[in-house]
Amino acid sequence: MKSNNEDQVAQGAQDESMCDVTDVTDDTTSADYYFDSYSHFGDVIYQNKFLIKDKVVLDVGAGTGILYLFCAKAGASHVYAVECSQMADMAKEIVKANGFSDVDVIISEWMGYFLLFENMLDSVLFARNKWLVDGGVVLPDKASLFLTAIEDSEYKEDKIEFWNSVYGFDMSCIKKKAMMEPLVDTVDPKQIVTDSKLLKTINILKMSSGDASFTAPFKLLHNAMTTSTLL
């Protein structure tokens, strides 16, 4: 029989492996990155079945249901899937028929742009406070926000400088707005032109909603061997 410490060491080693950088190739797309992120969730669930087996699981923001299917396959005794979109019609019927009970595990892919922009974290914290049993588990239990800078002249030319002349009309005033729009995409490591800085680490199991609002001073150091253009 494993001790709690042995389980924690094993879990820590598995969690650390999740931080490995996936090689980005010319053929890698945003869709590849999206589905790869869910494969990591599956890896964590299957490699830590002791957290899921015979437990009651709540999937917050279930979407297509991939995470609760992972949990069901890992041996969860019951999985509640909650989704606010039109996809949730069947889930609503199930919840209505069965009602909520205390849950042992809450799992959610709640992360938004830049981790905290347009996220579902408040919903996860509400569910944690209302239904998670003492000693329960939240997956993921921690999240870290890092910042770095990239140089992508091709993107700037296509998406930003484009506004200088739109069919011969000067619409350059839109450039500032375009620069503020969030973009989720894969990045070639060669495009990274600075070091990276850790801005914030949050503990989902212990944090309050207000902890997601913060300021963090930072300084990025430009790589000497790279060239970049400031806008």
Side-chain angles (χ1 to χ4, degrees):
M1 179 178 295
K2 288 185 177 181
S3 68
N4 289 337
N5 288 340
E6 288 174 324
D7 283 335
Q8 290 171 356
V9 169
Q11 181 180 357
Q14 290 156 1
D15 288 347
E16 183 177 357
S17 69
M18 298 297 295
C19 298
D20 294 341
V21 177
T22 302
D23 290 337
V24 178
T25 68
D26 291 340
D27 297 328
T28 303
T29 66
S30 296
D32 293 327
Y33 182 79
Y34 175 83
F35 288 112
D36 184 60
S37 69
Y38 278 102
S39 74
H40 283 303
F41 268 98
D43 289 341
V44 169
I45 291 169
Y46 293 148
Q47 293 172 14
N48 297 276
K49 289 184 178 180
F50 69 94
L51 294 174
I52 304 296
K53 185 173 175 58
D54 300 326
K55 300 296 179 61
V56 179
V57 179
L58 173 62
D59 180 4
V60 178
T64 60
I66 186 63
L67 295 185
Y68 70 72
L69 291 174
F70 286 153
C71 292
K73 190 173 181 179
S77 63
H78 198 106
V79 182
Y80 293 105
V82 180
E83 172 60 51
C84 293
S85 71
Q86 293 179 349
M87 240 179 250
D89 291 342
M90 185 59 68
K92 288 179 180 178
E93 292 182 20
I94 294 172
V95 171
K96 183 178 180 180
N98 295 279
F100 276 111
S101 67
D102 289 340
V103 298
D104 303 294
V105 180
I106 294 175
I107 188 167
S108 178
E109 199 283 292
W110 56 264
M111 292 74 78
Y113 304 116
F114 208 58
L115 186 63
L116 296 173
F117 181 72
E118 294 185 356
N119 65 78
M120 297 192 306
L121 183 56
D122 281 346
S123 297
V124 174
L125 299 182
F126 175 85
R128 180 203 65 187
N129 294 340
K130 191 170 182 65
W131 291 300
L132 189 65
V133 300
D134 291 340
V137 175
V138 179
L139 296 176
D141 59 345
K142 291 182 180 179
S144 295
L145 177 62
F146 289 85
L147 178 69
T148 191
I150 69 168
E151 164 65 21
D152 191 341
S153 57
E154 183 177 340
Y155 174 84
K156 290 203 296 283
E157 185 65 30
D158 291 343
K159 305 297 184 181
I160 307 300
E161 301 304 329
F162 161 82
W163 295 106
N164 289 332
S165 179
V166 181
Y167 300 108
F169 295 96
D170 182 355
M171 297 187 180
S172 57
C173 59
I174 298 178
K175 289 170 60 175
K176 184 177 181 180
K177 176 66 175 178
M179 286 293 296
M180 295 175 63
E181 288 296 313
L183 173 69
V184 178
D185 207 344
T186 55
V187 175
D188 189 320
K190 295 178 181 178
Q191 293 176 311
I192 298 175
V193 295
T194 69
D195 60 352
S196 63
K197 296 297 182 183
L198 174 63
L199 298 185
K200 182 78 170 179
T201 295
I202 53 178
N203 186 325
I204 318 303
L205 194 58
K206 298 179 179 180
M207 69 177 294
S208 64
S209 179
D211 293 338
S213 297
F214 66 94
T215 58
F218 66 89
K219 179 185 293 185
L220 296 178
L221 299 179
H222 191 278
N223 296 334
M225 299 303 292
T226 61
T227 302
S228 58
T229 304
L230 297 177
L231 293 181

